[in-house]
Amino acid sequence: AQTVTQSQPEMSVQEAETVTLSCTYDTSESDYYLFWYKQPPSRQMILVIRQEAYKQQNATENRFSVNFQKAAKSFSLKISDSQLGDAAMYFCAYRSAMDSNYQLIWGAGTKLIIKP
Amino acid sequence: EAQVTQNPRYLITVTGKKLTVTCSQNMNHEYMSWYRQDPGLGLRQIYYSMNVEVTDKGDVPEGYKVSRKEKRNFPLILESPSPNQTSLYFCASSLSYDIGSPNYGYTFGSGTRLTVV
């Protein structure tokens, strides 16, 4: 069974600086998708970025980018120019391309604190 | 506005008293799913539905029931709630469950904080 591990329960960063959140996963599959979701205090789950395993190019969305290392099974999220609105729980999630449950497998989350 | 609506947002109940958490989406999505979120565990899937009258178990279905009589609604039923079902619950929907489809992408509800005493 696939697992997703986020080893940093909490991270803090100074406003305007860069922070990297770690995520590793375990799978025997070669075709899958990885996601980062943001959960602010409002509890709404918001998709930040998505990466297809077959793509070598790292996904980027404005200030958010990933470092996808398929051989190492690592999928870290880099947030540049951190803003107060980035404060939230961040979840890494895995989705098999072949999973009959069609479900996302989630990490435990990392709480990101932005210091003004 | 396209959205997934969950109700109630907060609920405190007693052990054994049946309850229903409602979930409704206005996007004509085929796929709907329920997750529970617990500290240190992330989200875990309870049940999912691929279309009307098609439902199946996720990883943690014990103590829960669902139904999908209409495309837009996917209620979560706890017949006899117990304290270990105290959790934050999310409903999510997607136009397509096929991740290769350009229509794939979850929309989440705002969550229901359930406390069973």
Side-chain angles (χ1 to χ4, degrees), chain A residues 32-33 35 37 39 41-47 50 89 91 95-97 100-109, chain B residues 9-10 31 35 37 40-43 45 48 50 57-59 88 90 97 99-100 104 106 108-113:
Chain A
Y32 51 87
Y33 298 77
F35 305 84
Y37 280 88
Q39 186 181 44
S42 66
R43 302 194 316 220
Q44 189 71 40
M45 202 66 79
I46 302 164
L47 178 65
R50 160 181 167 157
M89 282 290 290
F91 291 94
R95 164 70 153 89
S96 166
S100 60
N101 268 7
Y102 307 103
Q103 70 170 306
L104 291 168
I105 308 297
W106 299 76
Chain B
R9 189 165 170 80
Y10 296 94
Y31 182 82
Y35 287 86
Q37 180 181 348
L41 295 177
L43 282 75
Q45 191 183 54
Y48 67 97
M50 290 162 58
K57 298 176 181 178
D59 284 341
L88 177 59
F90 283 98
Y97 46 81
I99 197 168
Y104 179 83
Y106 279 101
F108 284 84
S110 297
T112 296
R113 173 75 68 186

Side-chain angles (χ1 to χ4, degrees), chain B residues 11-104:
Chain B
L11 178 60
I12 301 174
T13 189
V14 296
T15 298
K17 185 177 182 181
K18 181 179 178 180
L19 66 91
T20 299
V21 183
T22 64
C23 174
S24 180
Q25 49 93 3
N26 62 359
M27 298 164 282
N28 200 37
H29 282 179
E30 292 180 343
Y31 182 82
M32 298 186 74
S33 181
W34 277 103
Y35 287 86
R36 60 177 288 173
Q37 180 181 348
D38 300 291
L41 295 177
L43 282 75
R44 293 174 293 166
Q45 191 183 54
I46 303 171
Y47 269 95
Y48 67 97
S49 170
M50 290 162 58
N51 215 323
V52 175
E53 302 292 1
V54 181
T55 63
D56 208 345
K57 298 176 181 178
D59 284 341
V60 288
E62 294 78 20
Y64 305 94
K65 285 176 56 178
V66 293
S67 68
R68 189 90 180 274
K69 294 185 172 60
E70 307 164 280
K71 199 170 189 178
R72 63 184 293 126
N73 295 324
F74 189 45
L76 179 69
I77 302 156
L78 284 73
E79 294 271 2
S80 182
S82 62
N84 64 11
Q85 293 179 297
T86 292
S87 187
L88 177 59
Y89 291 87
F90 283 98
C91 180
S93 72
S94 175
L95 179 61
S96 172
Y97 46 81
D98 177 6
I99 197 168
S101 164
N103 294 318
Y104 179 83

Side-chain angles (χ1 to χ4, degrees), chain A:
Chain A
Q2 298 90 1
T3 58
V4 176
T5 302
Q6 293 179 250
S7 59
Q8 306 153 317
E10 187 174 296
M11 291 282 285
S12 63
V13 63
Q14 207 71 35
E15 192 178 4
E17 294 188 347
T18 295
V19 63
T20 298
L21 308 184
S22 301
C23 173
T24 59
Y25 58 94
D26 187 25
T27 183
S28 59
E29 298 177 340
S30 59
D31 194 10
Y32 51 87
Y33 298 77
L34 296 163
F35 305 84
W36 278 99
Y37 280 88
K38 172 185 177 180
Q39 186 181 44
S42 66
R43 302 194 316 220
Q44 189 71 40
M45 202 66 79
I46 302 164
L47 178 65
V48 175
I49 205 162
R50 160 181 167 157
Q51 175 78 44
E52 291 84 352
Y54 62 84
K55 290 187 178 177
Q56 292 187 336
Q57 187 174 7
N58 289 326
T60 62
E61 285 289 342
N62 301 313
R63 297 182 295 107
F64 298 87
S65 62
V66 297
N67 182 7
F68 173 50
Q69 301 289 330
K70 190 171 184 180
K73 296 179 184 174
S74 171
F75 183 61
S76 59
L77 175 69
K78 185 172 84 171
I79 306 174
S80 304
D81 185 26
S82 299
Q83 300 175 0
L84 294 178
D86 294 334
M89 282 290 290
Y90 285 83
F91 291 94
C92 178
Y94 168 101
R95 164 70 153 89
S96 166
M98 302 300 293
D99 187 359
S100 60
N101 268 7
Y102 307 103
Q103 70 170 306
L104 291 168
I105 308 297
W106 299 76
T110 296
K111 182 178 181 179
L112 179 62
I113 298 167
I114 310 294
K115 299 176 185 175

